[in-house]
Amino acid sequence: MTAGSRDGVLYPPASVAVVGSGQLGRMFIQAAQAMGYRAGVLSATTETPAAQVADWTVVGRHDDLSALRQLAEKADAVTVEFENVSAPALRWLAKRRIVRPGWRTLWTSQNRLREKRFLARHGIPHAPWCPVRTADELATAVRDLGSPLILKTASSGYDGKGQVLVKDEAEAADAWASLGRVACVAEGWVEFAAEASVVVARGADGRAGAFPIALNHHERHILATSTAPAPVGPIVALEAREAALAVAQALDSVGVLCVEFFLTADGRLLVNEIAPRPHNSGHLTIESAHASQFDQQVRALCGLPLGSCDLVRPAAMVNLLGDVWSGGEPRWERALEDPAVKLHLYGKHTPKVGRKMGHLTALDETPEGALARVLAAKRRLTERD
Ligand code: AMP
């Protein structure tokens, strides 16, 4: 069989690649392989979750020219699994190969200042914020936003890293110093009732679909569980869907994108963050949706029509962090006693506290039932006789 393309559609067994080699890259590769593509990765080493399952690996940094050259030689189309891929590198690649999402989409979400300006420009509701690049701007932020507020570094923050809570005005200078006085966004404190997210898939032709809104619960700033559809009522669900689709359209993103929201007690949705890639809160789509978020990423990348984002059944996902290993090897057979529970492990060898090692998903007639089942399965993992 030889790979080919027709009318902008890349046919299997063409070579597709992902930049970044964690679990998101791994699940993209597995979805691509299921459709008959050869799937590769640009990875820092060969022992990574994505490289373990890839058909081929280019070892190197994502901004290293010789690694990029090899990638362009081997891949017909390239996607990413994290937003901080070098924009110049993607621009360089895009002159040679299909690259989705494009560098501009990533550029906006790589930096919280740019992201906030983008949301403001497009009238998409978000938390009140101020830029903090100088001591004067810090003083203005504290005056305008009041306290408490959260200082977040403009770039390279994730899972709560690069953030400090400023409880009152007196703490502000030290808080900014603890972040190295780098460019930051100061965000007003949002008294949210819940956190939620919508994953959107958008094709090169501009057609888009959105998965039902997921309810997300964080522990220590790391996603712990996602449940979908979130029990938020039809109006909030619709508003979240419309806001997420508006973000994808305004960014002109091709591929998969996740919009995270704060849901306030009075039912308002505020965008917290945009991730221009599949998202942890969308992992449950592997079992619960017609086409998973990774299937959609492959379809959008290869110019295929998108699949349906409808859920076949309500679902819940619980992350398995390294903490689960603290008392020894988890009892996998115990978790899987419930036939509605599925196990995903990412092939990481060292279980560290807070490190995402895998996840469990459960399906049920109701989202609440799915959550109860998946949490019970997780508890059984660490039960001792
Ligand atoms: P982020 O990295 O921006 O997603 O923030 C990580 C977590 O910190 C969020 O999931 C929230 O639980 C919390 N958080 C972030 N920003 C705010 C805010 N403005 N008000 C209240 N909590 C926040």
Side-chain angles (χ1 to χ4, degrees), residues 144-167:
D144 290 358
L145 298 170
S147 46
L149 61 77
I150 302 190
L151 268 182
K152 301 182 179 182
T153 56
S155 52
S156 44
Y158 67 98
D159 285 349
K161 296 192 173 72
Q163 294 191 15
V164 286
L165 178 68
V166 179
K167 286 201 226 68

Side-chain angles (χ1 to χ4, degrees), residues 98-322:
I98 297 168
V99 177
R100 293 173 176 158
W103 70 269
R104 276 176 211 280
T105 304
L106 268 79
W107 174 250
T108 305
S109 54
Q110 275 171 1
N111 181 291
R112 290 186 196 270
L113 285 164
R114 287 198 287 271
E115 192 171 276
K116 299 283 189 210
R117 279 194 219 105
F118 162 83
L119 292 169
R121 204 166 53 241
H122 292 276
I124 296 163
H126 54 282
W129 66 283
C130 291
V132 173
R133 290 155 300 190
T134 62
D136 281 353
E137 281 186 341
L138 179 63
T140 307
V142 174
R143 194 192 61 218
D144 290 358
L145 298 170
S147 46
L149 61 77
I150 302 190
L151 268 182
K152 301 182 179 182
T153 56
S155 52
S156 44
Y158 67 98
D159 285 349
K161 296 192 173 72
Q163 294 191 15
V164 286
L165 178 68
V166 179
K167 286 201 226 68
D168 57 50
E169 200 178 331
E171 285 182 11
D174 284 347
W176 192 38
S178 77
L179 295 174
R181 288 197 182 81
V182 294
C184 284
V185 162
E187 243 181 65
W189 182 255
V190 179
E191 217 36 86
F192 59 80
E195 293 185 82
S197 57
V198 174
V199 174
V200 171
R202 190 165 178 274
D205 59 0
R207 281 193 212 176
F211 290 99
I213 183 170
L215 184 71
N216 300 328
H217 170 67
H218 293 81
E219 285 167 14
R220 291 175 289 156
H221 291 287
I222 303 170
L223 184 68
T225 64
S226 289
T227 309
V232 293
I235 297 172
V236 171
L238 184 70
E239 283 173 352
R241 176 191 165 81
E242 283 173 354
L245 287 167
V247 166
Q249 190 179 347
L251 280 174
D252 195 21
S253 86
V254 180
V256 170
L257 168 152
C258 178
V259 180
E260 292 181 76
F261 297 95
F262 295 132
L263 181 58
T264 64
D266 56 1
R268 281 178 308 130
L269 283 162
L270 303 173
V271 171
N272 171 33
E273 242 183 352
I274 303 167
R277 53 167 170 79
H279 191 258
N280 197 168
S281 62
H283 289 358
L284 51 74
T285 61
I286 294 176
E287 284 83 15
S288 69
H290 280 283
S292 76
Q293 60 172 351
F294 301 103
D295 295 334
Q296 304 285 37
Q297 188 182 18
V298 176
R299 286 167 175 246
L301 179 63
C302 297
L304 292 163
L306 296 176
S308 164
C309 290
D310 291 347
L311 296 193
V312 182
R313 279 206 118 190
M317 183 255 9
V318 63
N319 270 332
L320 300 177
L321 303 182

